[in-house]
Amino acid sequence: MAFSSLSLSLLLALLSLSEATSPGSGLMLTLVNNCPYPIWPAIQPNAGHPVLERGGFCLPSLSHRSFPAPYEHWSGRVWARTGCVGQNDYLTCQTGDCGGKLECNGAGGKTPATLAQFTLHHGHKDFSSYGVSLVDGFNIPLTVTPHEGQGVCPVVGCKANLLETCPRELQVHAPDQHGKVIACKSGCEALNTDALCCRGQYNSPEICKPSAFSLFYKHACPSTFTYAHDTPSLMHECAAPHELKVIFCH
């Protein structure tokens, strides 16, 4: 009986060690609201991947929410909804709205919105790729900060409040607050031309080039994607980070 108990204890210890060191274990995603107002983060997985945290929740000012990332390969995006009103599961937001729901449950958001994009647990070194995109415009400052990763793991994103400098052609105003800019469109969304949207004959990196509008974003936030065929200034190969932190406002 003593040998059986010892064997069971050893087996449990080995299983615990295996779980602790297995690829993809222990990665946490943390969303931090440093803004002086509440936001409603939204999470949308790419096709075939699970919805995390039911796709959305409220995050009060100066608070955070952490949750484990999937153990398997996962990719998707995170953004913040702002100016939201509603009750129970019904929620209408001035920016980033996902169909009038608190829990987006896999639905995408209304542009313009600042996006954090992730591809987790890929490659033989358990890489986590991440980036911040202004291709669909801007609604809130946002950065991604990795912790305890191996290799090249820079902080990327956009700390500047671009609502204060948004070109007139790109401005989105709140319907009930005169003159207040609540979001900044992309040139593609604002003017809807093939050249700005990198479509039709412009759908290639060689032909689709930066515009005055994408350069507005790029000069303010060089480490972001600013148009469809853009390359950010900071590249990375971040292996096995313990945490990826999305910080809204700074």
Side-chain angles (χ1 to χ4, degrees):
M1 180 66 69
F3 177 78
S4 298
S5 300
L6 179 61
S7 299
L8 179 59
S9 299
L10 180 60
L11 177 61
L12 291 174
L14 289 173
L15 286 174
S16 298
L17 179 62
S18 174
E19 287 182 4
T21 58
S22 63
S25 65
L27 174 58
M28 298 295 294
L29 296 177
T30 299
L31 276 55
V32 181
N33 181 13
N34 280 342
C35 307
Y37 49 82
I39 60 173
W40 287 259
I43 306 169
Q44 182 189 29
N46 290 344
H49 296 283
V51 176
L52 308 183
E53 301 296 289
R54 298 186 178 182
F57 48 87
C58 179
L59 196 61
S61 175
L62 304 180
S63 70
H64 73 277
R65 180 162 172 169
S66 295
F67 49 91
Y71 283 86
E72 304 297 331
H73 174 69
W74 186 90
S75 61
R77 53 178 54 185
V78 175
W79 70 95
R81 294 166 288 173
T82 63
C84 302
V85 294
Q87 57 184 352
N88 300 323
D89 191 38
Y90 297 97
L91 194 73
T92 300
C93 301
Q94 291 182 339
T95 72
D97 193 276
C98 65
K101 296 289 187 179
L102 170 62
E103 297 173 349
C104 301
N105 200 27
K110 183 179 179 181
T111 59
T114 316
L115 299 177
Q117 300 175 319
F118 298 94
T119 301
L120 309 179
H121 307 319
H122 67 96
H124 68 284
K125 292 186 177 180
D126 188 26
F127 286 126
S128 287
S129 299
Y130 53 90
V132 174
S133 173
L134 305 180
V135 175
D136 290 328
F138 174 96
N139 70 333
I140 192 171
L142 181 163
T143 61
V144 178
T145 300
H147 290 279
E148 300 180 22
Q150 301 172 8
V152 183
C153 303
V155 176
V156 302
C158 188
K159 293 184 178 182
N161 183 5
L162 302 184
L163 302 182
E164 298 173 353
T165 55
C166 180
R168 183 179 300 274
E169 302 96 319
L170 307 184
Q171 293 178 1
V172 178
H173 295 265
D176 56 346
Q177 299 180 38
H178 298 294
K180 182 179 180 181
V181 178
I182 58 172
C184 192
K185 296 179 183 179
S186 66
C188 172
E189 183 175 359
L191 300 180
N192 193 29
T193 67
D194 287 354
L196 291 173
C197 297
C198 294
R199 66 188 180 211
Q201 64 177 327
Y202 293 91
N203 189 18
S204 74
E206 294 77 24
I207 299 176
C208 190
K209 299 299 182 181
S211 67
F213 300 121
S214 69
L215 288 173
F216 158 72
Y217 287 122
K218 180 62 72 174
H219 291 156
C221 304
S223 67
T224 62
F225 295 88
T226 60
Y227 68 100
H229 292 294
D230 189 20
T231 301
S233 62
L234 293 177
M235 304 304 291
H236 57 273
E237 284 192 342
C238 193
H242 176 67
E243 180 184 38
L244 289 173
K245 186 175 289 185
V246 181
I247 302 176
F248 300 97
C249 300
H250 288 268

